[in-house]
Amino acid sequence: SQELEQSPQSLIVQEGKNLTINCTSSKTLYGLYWYKQKYGEGLIFLMMLQKGGEEKSHEKITAKLDEKKQQSSLHITASQPSHAGIYLCGAPYSGAGSYQLTFGKGTKLSVIP
Amino acid sequence: EAGVAQSPRYKIIEKRQSVAFWCNPISGHATLYWYQQILGQGPKLLIQFQNNGVVDDSQLPKDRFSAERLKGVDSTLKIQPAKLEDSAVYLCASSLRGLAGGGEEYFGPGTRLLVL
């Protein structure tokens, strides 16, 4: 089973609408990373959350971490076509030699002008 | 500041052929990662280097994949021989402090491999 589940898998919104993407872990969360990926490109770092209850914002994107629920949410306010892409959450789990990032499958966001 | 560089950007080969990918991390970043991203999936870690030493290669298919990071800077990932299921995007990332140090990973643009 997937260690990190993202929902929804895809999302189509009208420009100007708000939206939320969720990421749920099957293991204890010690932090959570959010990345954005456009087709044919690498991952762009958005935000890192390290403490339970932590909330960070950058421009119109806000991310929160709920350690008790082992969840994180990413909220976009007044979406724009530039927000379109695939949003990936990644959690640092203990690996063979160190912590390693395990990613969800991603949420594909389309914004209709 | 220059980002993570990767080459080539695209590669098409036939099964059983060999292929190599190159990565140049951000200057000063001691930790380097190689990920495999299959279409529709999130990236999966293949190998992690700290300077020129391997920290974690537990998910690297060692019968066909190899990686090295000589001199603790550039890195190469090789597949020999390639299989159809190796078709994916291979991403390189680097980090100043590593995840254990609370650092974030910065990704290159990736190499898109198609095995026919």
Side-chain angles (χ1 to χ4, degrees), chain A residues 6-19:
Chain A
Q6 286 188 237
S7 62
Q9 288 185 353
S10 63
L11 198 52
I12 302 173
V13 299
Q14 199 78 34
E15 183 177 358
K17 296 293 185 184
N18 303 337
L19 63 107

Side-chain angles (χ1 to χ4, degrees), chain A residues 33 35 37 39-43 45 48 50 88 92 95-101 103-105, chain B residues 9 35 37 41-43 45 48 55-56 58-59 91 99-100 102-105 107-109 112:
Chain A
Y33 294 73
Y35 286 85
Q37 184 175 33
Y39 183 78
E41 298 178 17
L43 280 64
F45 172 75
M48 171 176 63
Q50 291 185 296
L88 291 151
S98 181
Y99 285 97
Q100 57 175 257
L101 266 186
F103 286 91
K105 289 185 176 182
Chain B
R9 291 295 311 276
Y35 288 85
Q37 185 178 23
Q41 304 285 322
L45 180 69
Q48 176 184 344
V55 173
D56 185 352
S58 57
Q59 298 192 88
L91 296 161
L99 295 180
E104 57 266 28
E105 296 180 19
F107 284 78
R112 190 170 297 273

Side-chain angles (χ1 to χ4, degrees), chain B residues 17-78:
Chain B
Q17 285 188 324
S18 303
V19 64
F21 313 127
W22 174 83
C23 172
N24 180 237
I26 293 173
S27 177
H29 282 197
T31 311
L32 185 146
Y33 312 82
W34 281 102
Y35 288 85
Q36 179 193 59
Q37 185 178 23
I38 293 172
L39 189 64
Q41 304 285 322
K44 183 185 86 172
L45 180 69
L46 292 176
I47 189 167
Q48 176 184 344
F49 291 95
Q50 181 72 20
N51 296 310
N52 60 348
V54 175
V55 173
D56 185 352
D57 63 357
S58 57
Q59 298 192 88
L60 187 74
K62 299 180 187 64
D63 57 334
R64 298 183 301 105
F65 286 65
S66 64
E68 60 182 12
R69 191 183 183 197
L70 300 175
K71 300 180 182 178
V73 181
D74 294 5
S75 177
T76 56
L77 176 70
K78 296 179 182 177

Side-chain angles (χ1 to χ4, degrees), chain A residues 4-6 23-24 32-35 87-91 102-104:
Chain A
L4 272 180
E5 295 279 355
Q6 286 188 237
C23 177
T24 302
L32 201 289
Y33 294 73
W34 283 100
Y35 286 85
Y87 289 82
L88 291 151
C89 64
T102 296
F103 286 91

